């Protein structure tokens, strides 16, 4: 059991008020809040260490380099990567996926080839592949969703063919909350020699991950959804793939040598980190990892599943409210998308905001999924280690109040 009361004291923003009410932050799937330790790491870096890395011979540069590379080591340990050099820092999940679609895709995907996605992907894991498919004359195919918001995996054997070059899918849906059986997909893909990219933007912040055990070929995720700062993403990839791929961006730091007519590439991981990186935020991401590890990922996952199950129960009690996604809480993460009959999600979001409750309302960057679900938007409450049952009670009460306000307005 985690001590949520104690955790909450580490997050200064959770003490503030919004519209005169205590903030209830239920939008961590969009971005998480940051503990003091992360903010302090940023301040410490800029007040004590600030210098460019990898090239200086002075003390500050050496210290900054050690902190930056130390953060890489922490990330590697967090996902059980075999070596820190298989962890590449990018700006976000989106950039990590684009790195693969360029550096791996342009080399390996040829006209007529196919890439398999799923119908629940975020735009970040659709658009880069559309761009690649257009550039190369390739085709995208999709694993369908069933009525429960789960992947119709029984159809995967028919989707995979000799033309399939890559399977790419999310570990957890940011709309439905579904935790996908990525291990089964990876096993099926590897049996046919096909690599798999896992979009871990929603999974890595909430579930214990071991990339060796999972055996994924690529894993992309963002620091800002796991207590870290914005502006830092991660691409983990198997070493052989990183060695074989071409660089994504060219410039300083990613080269070994440069002549006027050609260049050679730096060792891993720097081959994929062109230019001055986001030094301060990477270092503060290291502090976020320390924080998550101190609490424990299995404990965090357990807490969120418990909250998710409680939210399902409380919300389902509300007349006219329907929850999207799997009914089985054991295959759901800590987020709930829902619809309240007669209330547009944006109106609901605004009424909840007036109560100090922050939820997300919209298409969640999953427009193809919205079309599949037959809705234009959903309301979504998402939970993290700092949320409580009392906050879910407050959400349920505020939804009931919003329903009343709207029925009064509707009957005027
Ligand atoms: N994939 C999923 C499943 C997501 O939820 C998100 C963020 N909402 C992304 C990718 C993109 O993350 P970022 O905006 O940090 O690149």
């Amino acid at each position: 059991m985690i001590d949520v009361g104690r955790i909450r004291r580490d997050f200064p923003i959770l003490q503030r008020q919004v519209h005169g009410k205590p903030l209830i932050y239920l939008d961590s799937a969009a971005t998480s809040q940051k503990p003091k330790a992360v903010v302090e790491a940023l301040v410490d870096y800029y007040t004590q260490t600030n210098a460019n890395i990898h090239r200086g011979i002075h003390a500050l540069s050496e210290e900054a380099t050690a902190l930056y590379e130390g953060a890489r080591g922490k990330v590697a340990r967090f996902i059980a990567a075999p070596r820190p050099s298989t962890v590449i820092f990018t700006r976000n999940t989106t950039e990590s996926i684009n790195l693969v679609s360029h550096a791996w895709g342009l080399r390996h995907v040829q006209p007529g080839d196919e890439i398999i996605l799923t119908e629940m992907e975020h735009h970040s894991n659709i658009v880069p592949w559309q761009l690649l498919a257009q550039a190369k004359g390739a085709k995208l195919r999709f694993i369908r969703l069933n009525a429960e918001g789960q992947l119709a995996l029984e159809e995967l054997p028919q989707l995979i063919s000799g033309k399939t070059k890559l399977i790419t899918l999310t570990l957890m849906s940011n709309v439905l909350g579904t935790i996908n059986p990525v291990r089964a997909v990876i096993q099926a893909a590897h049996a046919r020699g096909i690599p798999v990219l896992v979009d871990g933007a929603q999974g890595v912040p909430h579930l214990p991950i071991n990339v060796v055990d999972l055996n994924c070929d690529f894993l992309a995720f963002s620091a800002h959804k796991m207590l870290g700062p914005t502006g830092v993403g991660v691409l983990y990839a198997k070493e052989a793939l990183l060695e074989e791929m071409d660089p994504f961006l060219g410039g300083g730091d990613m080269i070994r040598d440069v002549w006027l007519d050609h260049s050679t590439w730096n060792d891993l991981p720097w081959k994929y980190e062109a230019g001055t990186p986001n030094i301060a935020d990477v270092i503060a991401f290291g502090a976020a990892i320390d924080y998550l590890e101190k609490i424990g990922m299995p404990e965090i996952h357990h807490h969120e599943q418990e909250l998710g199950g409680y939210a399902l129960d409380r919300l389902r009690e509300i007349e006219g409210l329907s929850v999207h996604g799997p009914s089985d809480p054991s295959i759901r993460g800590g987020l709930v998308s829902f619809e309240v009959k007669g209330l547009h999600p944006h109106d609901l979001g605004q009424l909840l905001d007036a109560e100090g409750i922050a939820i997300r309302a919209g298409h969640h960057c999953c427009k193809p999924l919205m079309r599949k679900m037959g809705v234009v938007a959903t309301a979504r409450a998402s939970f993290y280690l700092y949320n409580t049952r009392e906050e879910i009670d407050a959400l349920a009460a505020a939804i009931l109040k919003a329903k009343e306000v709207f029925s009064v307005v509707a009957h005027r």
Side-chain angles (χ1 to χ4, degrees):
M1 274 265 287
I2 65 179
D3 184 348
V4 181
R6 194 157 163 208
I7 288 171
R8 288 179 70 84
R9 288 198 286 280
D10 292 332
F11 289 78
I13 206 166
L14 298 180
Q15 320 305 323
R16 72 160 279 187
Q17 303 225 320
V18 170
H19 306 307
K21 309 263 170 62
L23 168 66
I24 295 183
Y25 188 75
L26 303 180
D27 197 18
S28 294
T31 198
S32 72
Q33 295 303 346
K34 324 298 174 197
K36 266 185 292 198
V38 167
V39 181
E40 281 163 8
L42 279 172
V43 174
D44 284 353
Y45 171 75
Y46 280 123
T47 51
Q48 300 301 320
T49 318
N50 180 48
N52 213 331
I53 55 170
H54 293 151
R55 46 198 109 159
I57 46 160
H58 58 80
L60 292 189
S61 174
E62 280 174 11
E63 282 175 28
T65 304
L67 287 170
Y68 179 85
E69 293 303 334
R72 193 191 309 277
K74 290 178 186 183
V75 175
R77 195 184 60 222
F78 187 74
I79 58 169
R83 289 159 191 256
S85 59
T86 56
V87 167
I88 314 294
F89 286 121
T90 61
R91 278 188 306 144
N92 45 38
T93 302
T94 305
E95 187 177 294
S96 298
I97 296 173
N98 276 274
L99 194 165
V100 179
S101 71
H102 280 77
W104 182 88
L106 289 173
R107 173 183 282 230
H108 289 282
V109 175
Q110 305 304 337
D113 283 346
E114 294 181 352
I115 298 167
I116 297 178
L117 293 74
T118 85
E119 289 183 332
M120 66 165 77
E121 297 310 310
H122 188 280
H123 297 164
S124 297
N125 200 24
I126 299 177
V127 183
W129 307 111
Q130 289 175 342
L131 292 171
L132 176 66
Q134 278 159 19
K136 290 297 213 154
K139 199 171 164 210
L140 306 185
R141 308 197 67 185
F142 294 87
I143 306 176
R144 261 187 347 99
L145 293 190
N146 64 24
E148 270 275 288
Q150 291 173 256
L151 299 179
L153 271 198
E154 65 282 4
E155 295 174 9
L156 186 59
Q158 285 96 64
L159 280 176
I160 296 180
S161 75
K163 297 181 193 159
T164 310
K165 280 288 145 72
L166 178 79
I167 301 181
T168 178
L169 80 166
T170 188
L171 178 49
M172 176 175 144
S173 164
N174 61 315
V175 174
L176 302 165
T178 320
I179 299 173
N180 286 321
V182 287
R183 186 186 296 276
V185 174
I186 291 168
Q187 281 167 358
H190 286 179
R192 307 284 298 265
I194 300 161
V196 177
L197 184 151
V198 175
D199 172 354
Q202 295 296 339
V204 175
H206 305 286
L207 306 165
I209 296 290
N210 180 319
V211 287
V212 173
D213 184 44
L214 194 60
N215 205 9
C216 57
D217 301 276
F218 301 102
L219 175 71
F221 55 102
S222 297
H224 71 93
K225 292 188 200 280
M226 47 193 293
L227 311 185
T230 50
V232 178
V234 172
L235 176 70
Y236 156 80
K238 284 185 177 161
E239 191 167 15
L241 289 164
L242 290 173
E243 288 290 3
E244 167 238 48
M245 282 166 18
D246 293 318
F248 174 41
L249 299 172
D253 246 26
M254 52 74 72
I255 49 83
R256 182 183 308 285
D257 207 348
V258 178
W259 289 264
L260 285 180
D261 60 348
H262 75 285
S263 303
T264 53
W265 314 137
N266 202 343
D267 292 332
L268 297 178
W270 308 292
K271 172 181 165 187
Y272 294 100
E273 292 182 7
T276 302
N278 191 347
I279 305 166
D281 291 311
V282 163
I283 292 169
F285 182 32
I289 301 266
D290 288 342
Y291 191 92
L292 289 171
E293 284 188 330
K294 195 178 70 191
I295 309 292
M297 290 309 291
E299 288 74 13
I300 291 172
H301 178 50
H302 181 263
H303 173 70
E304 288 171 11
Q305 275 211 312
E306 207 265 328
L307 280 184
Y310 184 68
L312 283 184
D313 291 345
R314 289 303 324 264
L315 295 185
R316 283 191 186 128
E317 284 166 6
I318 299 174
E319 214 191 301
L321 187 150
S322 50
V323 170
H324 301 290
S327 44
D328 175 1
S330 74
I331 55 158
R332 297 183 64 111
L335 73 81
V336 185
S337 270
F338 55 93
E339 211 169 13
V340 183
K341 205 164 162 223
L343 247 177
H344 192 284
H346 286 133
D347 292 330
L348 178 62
Q350 270 175 6
L351 289 167
L352 295 183
D353 180 54
E355 302 294 318
I357 302 176
I359 61 152
R360 187 79 151 188
H363 56 65
H364 315 290
C365 296
C366 287
K367 284 201 142 191
L369 175 57
M370 294 290 119
R371 285 192 198 99
K372 167 99 185 178
M373 292 161 67
V375 297
V376 285
T378 76
R380 180 188 72 189
S382 53
F383 317 117
Y384 212 178
L385 69 171
Y386 36 66
N387 290 119
T388 64
R389 280 181 170 231
E390 290 71 33
E391 290 180 311
I392 291 166
D393 292 338
L395 170 69
I399 295 172
L400 284 173
K401 187 170 164 192
K403 276 184 64 181
E404 254 168 51
V405 170
F406 253 71
S407 71
V408 171
V409 173
H411 288 103
R412 249 191 213 146

